[in-house]
Amino acid sequence: MSDAVKVGFVPLASAARGILVVFCDEALKVGPATAKALGGANELMKRAASAASFKGKSGVALDILAPEGLKAERLIVIGTGKPSGLKTNDFLKFGGMAASKLKAGSATMTIMAELPDGAMSCEQAVAIASGLRLRAYKFDRYKTRKKDGEEGALRAEVSLAVGDAAAAKKAFASAGAVVDGVIIARDLVNEPPNVLFPEEFARRASLLRKLGVRIEVLDVKAMQKLGMGALLGVGQGSARPSRTVIMRWDGGRKGEAPVAFVGKGVCFDTGGISIKPAGSMEDMKGDMGGAACVVGLMHALAARKAKVNVVGAIGLVENMPDGNAQRPGDIVTSMSGQTIEIINTDAEGRLVLADVLWYVAKKTKPKFMVDLATLTGAIVVALGTDHAGMFSNNDELAERLHAAGIESGEKVWRLPLGPEYDKLIDSQFADMKNTGGRHGGSITAAQFLQRFVDGTPWAHLDIAGTAMGAPKTDINQSWGSGYGVRLLDRLVADHYERK
């Protein structure tokens, strides 16, 4: 995997190269190794801080060009605020801030991974390294020329000066696998739909075989045999045939029930016969953000050799409006045998998930299932772009997901389920209809999905506001965010992986 930033670890006493990045608290105090590296530039830093009203607050940086008394070409001082209140996510952001100071072209940077009271912990240093790589990601493979003022390619070598270089390198091998998973998910979401259609998506997911992931690809004929009429109905209007991909990582005990993750993979969504307005329809190339996350997560778990059995399943379709397309008023039969009246062909993601959830529940009998889907615009109205919507039939799983969201920074917010909402999707012609109307749209979508989990502990994450087009952050400048990979890796690591 190509990377704009190559990260290495060196001892704290190593000589600085290129841009020098240091950390200080609100009193402008730096650690002992940092003070030694700065030498006479300590006073320069304080004078510059005074001139710029820099107070060392967390997330604020002071940039000094050609610092007198240092061989470094630039000195960047990043404020930490009160070090006692720092959390791992803060160090991710610090890494992102450092990466933001790198300009196009070749560059070298040395980061003193030290707080005023001494060397950062291995976890903190690794978080900085992860933040660097996440921030430096850029998707520009289809640009053949740059406009005036547009930055070109970045190729940087960054050395983190740490207390224990060997330990940090070992820890980053695992954390780096998670970063790679996020980058894979971002690439998938950012790809144009004429490049990434169901068959190509399935091919890319199949590359995980190189890491020891077992892959099964179900074509249309196989899905017809299984009775997956809900998923196939969505894709029947497209010239691109649908696919379902089942990925298995067997890192746990033999015979132990797996944990399962299911992703919506609508590679392009026109809305079908219930066609969407033209404005921003191009964004519907990202309607496979849930499937992208699952592929990125499976990469992360396999690459770091997670000690857990995992199933990842993605339903891949295009929702197109040709003469063979599904119509409002059609009734389809799902793999579960339940019938569904199609009210709106733009409520298609839940139809895809219905069959894949049932398949996973019945065929793999997991400990739990988490599905991810860019499912409803209503969730963006309700929660904006800072939290994904979470719905669950299991309090323990919901609580663990919430905690993993806080730890990873990929936050979730639980919304209700209940019989009052469920009755809104009852149909007079079939077992259910695929939309319950405008009110509570995200909730009735989740109620629909719950009918296909067969009692398995389950959570649904509506990531329409977080997987694509979300505001840029210190660790993400990409349209496709890769949301969910770090969240679910944290969930697995904290609660389900054999220690």
Side-chain angles (χ1 to χ4, degrees), residues 389-443:
M390 175 175 64
F391 304 82
S392 183
N393 64 1
N394 184 276
D395 290 342
E396 181 181 42
L397 177 58
E399 288 165 6
R400 288 177 173 181
L401 274 166
H402 183 266
I406 297 298
E407 290 178 26
S408 66
E410 294 189 332
K411 295 173 285 187
V412 299
W413 191 262
R414 191 176 187 182
L415 286 93
L417 293 169
E420 299 83 5
Y421 296 107
D422 197 65
K423 67 183 181 182
L424 297 176
I425 57 170
D426 287 338
S427 165
Q428 61 177 321
F429 301 113
D431 295 326
M432 70 195 82
K433 53 188 178 181
N434 75 326
T435 176
R438 192 161 170 244
H439 295 162
S442 298
I443 300 174

Side-chain angles (χ1 to χ4, degrees), residues 29 35 38 69 108 118 182 209 218 235 258 275 281 292 339 358 419 435 441 484:
K29 183 181 177 183
L38 289 174
T108 58
V182 175
R209 287 192 177 105
L218 304 178
I275 197 163
M281 193 193 284
T339 56
W358 188 263
T435 176

Side-chain angles (χ1 to χ4, degrees), residues 198-214:
E199 290 168 295
E200 172 61 13
F201 201 132
R203 186 194 70 79
R204 294 197 190 189
S206 297
L207 296 176
L208 293 177
R209 287 192 177 105
K210 296 176 182 178
L211 295 175
V213 178
R214 290 190 290 131

Side-chain angles (χ1 to χ4, degrees), residues 4 68 96 119 125 138 168 181 196 229 235 247 258 275 292 310 336 363 388 431 486 489:
E68 186 178 353
K138 192 175 183 181
L196 193 73
M247 300 161 276
I275 197 163
V310 189
S336 71
K363 298 285 187 180
D431 295 326
R486 294 189 301 111
D489 180 80

Side-chain angles (χ1 to χ4, degrees), residues 228 310 313 367:
M228 298 174 79
V310 189
K367 292 179 181 177

Side-chain angles (χ1 to χ4, degrees), residues 89-293:
N89 284 335
D90 294 309
F91 292 89
L92 272 172
K93 293 176 182 177
F94 294 157
M97 290 178 64
S100 73
K101 303 300 181 181
L102 294 166
K103 303 299 181 185
S106 298
T108 58
M109 174 182 279
T110 302
I111 300 176
M112 299 295 294
E114 185 183 46
L115 296 171
D117 57 355
M120 292 179 188
S121 70
C122 187
E123 181 184 31
Q124 291 167 341
V126 164
I128 287 178
S130 296
L132 275 160
R133 288 190 56 209
L134 290 169
R135 173 62 181 256
Y137 171 86
K138 192 175 183 181
F139 189 84
D140 58 1
R141 66 185 56 169
Y142 296 104
K143 290 195 172 187
T144 61
R145 64 189 71 179
K146 304 292 181 185
K147 295 178 182 178
D148 290 343
E150 195 171 38
E151 291 189 353
L154 168 67
R155 291 290 178 265
E157 292 187 14
V158 180
S159 299
L160 267 77
V162 297
D164 188 337
K169 183 178 179 180
K170 182 179 179 181
F172 191 55
S174 179
V178 179
V179 172
D180 288 342
V182 175
I183 289 173
I184 286 170
R186 287 179 180 178
D187 277 349
L188 289 168
V189 173
N190 286 327
E191 284 283 9
N194 61 318
V195 172
L196 193 73
F197 44 89
E199 290 168 295
E200 172 61 13
F201 201 132
R203 186 194 70 79
R204 294 197 190 189
S206 297
L207 296 176
L208 293 177
R209 287 192 177 105
K210 296 176 182 178
L211 295 175
V213 178
R214 290 190 290 131
I215 304 290
E216 181 182 7
V217 179
L218 304 178
D219 61 13
V220 171
K221 187 175 180 180
M223 288 186 282
Q224 286 172 337
K225 188 175 180 180
L226 288 166
M228 298 174 79
L231 184 153
L232 290 170
V234 176
Q236 72 188 40
S238 174
R240 307 281 195 181
S242 301
R243 293 288 185 267
T244 291
V245 183
I246 310 299
M247 300 161 276
R248 291 180 172 89
W249 168 250
D250 301 317
R253 295 182 179 90
K254 187 175 181 179
E256 184 178 18
V259 299
F261 302 96
V262 176
K264 169 190 170 183
V266 180
C267 297
F268 192 75
D269 181 21
T270 65
I273 296 297
S274 308
I275 197 163
K276 294 176 180 290
S280 299
M281 193 193 284
E282 68 275 10
D283 289 350
M284 289 300 98
K285 70 175 188 174
D287 207 15
M288 30 57 70
C293 168

Side-chain angles (χ1 to χ4, degrees), residues 22-46:
V22 302
F23 299 89
C24 74
D25 63 13
E26 291 178 336
L28 303 185
K29 183 181 177 183
V30 299
T34 301
K36 186 174 181 180
L38 289 174
N42 269 294
E43 287 304 314
L44 169 66
M45 182 189 79
K46 292 176 181 177

